Amino acid sequence: MAGGTGMQSSAVAGGATRERLQIRTRVLWTDVLVTVLVALAGIGMAAVFAGSPNIRWERVARYLFSPQVLSGVFVTVALATVAMVAGCIIGVGVALARRSRLPAARWAAGIYIWIFRGVPLLVQILFIFNLALFLPFIGIGSFGIETNLLITPMVAAIVSLSLHEGAYMAEVVRGGLQSVDKGQMEAAISQGLRRRTAMWRIIIPQALPSIIPATGNQTITMLKSTSLVVIIGARDLMTQVELIYTQNFLIIELLLVACFWYLTLVTLGNVLQYVLEERMDRRRMVRGAPQAPLPDAAEGAGG
């Protein structure tokens, strides 16, 4: 009886193994088919672009590293950097206000996030650029400046991008803070730390692993969002490309130049984000690893 039961078990196990092999084979062939189809589609699209007689590739190569385009690339990187730094500062402040015990602070932060996340970025850019239409003078009494002189295209671009990003970063920071166990704050307060000190020294450092990946995604999005300031002529990459093709009518060629540089910047951003996340993961693993006893302590324990 025992032998018969063993043979039946072996037969069942063998049948299950053959079924798993068949499933794996079907999955493998499906993966191969999808890969081939995707590769053929990519090759077909590349062939359409490369073989098109309507695209002057020599002009694309000519403008790829032209001084005017490179200046636009520099402005795009500068805009994205300044907007992200300002957006992170605003976001941290607004996120902390959302967690404040003061109802007025929570309401103000909530209204800010509601407005700047709800209104499209393009509308915000145009609104701030045309601020002088209803606020012609900024200041008090004789101390002030005309809005037209203050709100230049570059200033309007920086302000609108920063305020827009600040609303999104506020939610990113708030989500990171909520990922930390509430007991951490209670334990810090019980040890005599002030609430503000505990927030900056204990809660925020623990929230960074959750905040950094989302911040990297926001930075990549910001690099692409800077193209919207073309509407006010802020001399970014898209503005410079548009200025060129309105003169020589090489629209597709110059758009390909813009695509090349945006893809390059986004790729570099992805690489930096990956490196930063890997470093954060290694630090977490080192901190979480059990510490070996010191030699003196080990000898003392053995003695």
Side-chain angles (χ1 to χ4, degrees), residues 68-87:
Q68 189 172 353
V69 170
L70 291 179
S71 68
V73 173
F74 175 79
V75 172
T76 292
V77 174
L79 276 176
T81 303
V82 173
M84 280 306 303
V85 172

Side-chain angles (χ1 to χ4, degrees), residues 84 169 211-221 269-270 273 277:
M84 280 306 303
M169 283 305 303
I211 294 173
I212 287 178
T215 304
N217 293 333
Q218 288 297 120
T219 303
I220 293 170
T221 302
N270 284 327
Q273 179 182 359
E277 289 180 6

Side-chain angles (χ1 to χ4, degrees), residues 278-299:
E278 286 293 313
R279 184 170 297 180
M280 292 291 295
D281 289 340
R282 286 197 296 268
R283 286 185 178 181
R284 284 205 302 269
M285 292 176 64
V286 170
R287 291 177 180 177
Q291 299 293 328
L294 296 174
D296 295 340
E299 291 175 4

Side-chain angles (χ1 to χ4, degrees), residues 184-232:
Q184 297 287 329
M185 177 63 76
E186 297 172 358
I189 293 175
S190 67
Q191 294 297 319
L193 290 178
R194 294 182 178 178
R195 189 178 186 86
R196 182 180 302 176
T197 304
M199 176 64 70
W200 286 102
R201 292 187 179 182
I202 297 176
I203 305 301
I204 290 180
Q206 293 186 63
L208 283 179
S210 300
I211 294 173
I212 287 178
T215 304
N217 293 333
Q218 288 297 120
T219 303
I220 293 170
T221 302
M222 177 57 67
L223 281 170
K224 297 179 291 184
S225 298
T226 56
S227 61
L228 293 175
V229 302
V230 67
I231 197 70
I232 58 175

Side-chain angles (χ1 to χ4, degrees), residues 153-176:
M154 186 61 68
V155 171
I158 292 174
V159 171
S160 56
L161 292 174
S162 300
L163 292 175
H164 179 78
E165 187 59 36
Y168 281 90
M169 283 305 303
E171 291 298 281
V172 169
V173 174
R174 186 172 68 90

